[in-house]
Amino acid sequence: MSVDINTRIIGTGKYKAEGVLTNHDLEKMVDTSDQWITERTGISERRIAPKDVATSDMAAGAVKEALDMAGKKPDDIDMIICGTVTGDMPLPSTAAMIQKKIGASNMCPAFDVSAACAGFIYGLSVADAFIKTGKAKTVAIVGTEMLTRFMDFEDRNTCVLFGDGAGAVIATADQSDRGILSTHLYTDSSLTAALQIPGGGSLEPASAETIANRRHFIQMEGREVFKVAVKYLSDAAETAVKANGYSVDDVNVVSAHQANMRILSAVSKRVNIPLEKFALNLKYYGNTSSASIPISLDEAVREGKVSENDLVLMIALGGGISWGSALIKW
Ligand code: UT7
């Protein structure tokens, strides 16, 4: 493996779904309150995509924006990696749809990674490995989720949390010392049942019964996930920084998966990185799973909050339980 190749992010983009569903709207749908949602999660509203838009449409929009920023064309991409748990359909991959919708005709490999809310970091890690081994040069990595279509709007435990959206980056082989310094990936399978869509797979194939029993919607044991989230995300953040010989004080920007402000506040305290360094938009998007990091990263980049040579720390955790980190010299 050549040590001279680095993986540098040269473009970011996002798809911001048009529709807005506020906490007050939800008060009319389930037994909840704006106060409960705000205090327990930090979410005020979430985005909802129009009915005729698919997960791959949002992703393609995000990739096109990222290509523009990178100054690249669709056929310059030689790999498309898509993190999603709410793809267009089980077969084929959403990444294949993205290739078509961005207008690429170079037949580059395109595939999905399934790591729930950590899907973007998993995808970034795969891209980094392909680029550093010389097997790919320019990769589009996307996180895209249409969570509101997998939501039980009769279940207040979940329907107040999630939203739709997509974010993307273009990463390319680079000879400078800037780029992805490390990625660390983890899975703890002792909690697979804590966050799942139980119906529609080989275990419970779709049937009138699975539909009647609402098995095709997201189910979450929020408290169980919350308990491990703070520890696993904090440990991952500290490991990433230490592995590269830095201290937490050196981190300039944290681009974290946003599920709950209380989780992020606890991580911030535990690892001693002030919340002001976190790129946050949970209040307006809700939890967008794999899209949460690339959307907030894109907003931070476009608002000029990320400068050349800044140390950017990414951390995410979701169903699996799968989680991970990436440390990037921007
Ligand atoms: O993104 C992937 C990873 N996911 C996460 O990281 C999510 C982690 N978990 C969480 O963020 C939190 O656990 C939740 C936001 C999901 C829930 O917050 P919580 O403080 O853990 O609440 P809880 O589940 O312990 O429920 C507390 C109470 C319950 O009532 P009782 O049993 O105490 O009477 C719930 O029934 O709050 C009730 N509750 C609600 N009340 C009003 C649950 N959902 C709602 C709601 N509105 N929407």
Side-chain angles (χ1 to χ4, degrees), residues 31-33 36-37 40-41 117 156-157 160-162 195 220 222-223 225-226 229 257 259-260 262-263 287 317-319:
D31 179 16
T32 191
S33 65
W36 190 96
I37 303 170
R40 294 292 183 127
T41 71
C117 305
R156 69 175 184 176
N157 291 296
V160 304
L161 304 173
F162 297 95
L195 183 41
M220 181 165 72
R223 231 174 295 184
V225 181
F226 193 111
H257 169 52
N260 190 319
R262 288 185 295 136
I263 293 177
N287 179 345
L317 173 142

Side-chain angles (χ1 to χ4, degrees), residues 254-265:
V254 182
S255 179
H257 169 52
Q258 297 162 68
N260 190 319
M261 267 316 293
R262 288 185 295 136
I263 293 177
L264 295 179
S265 300

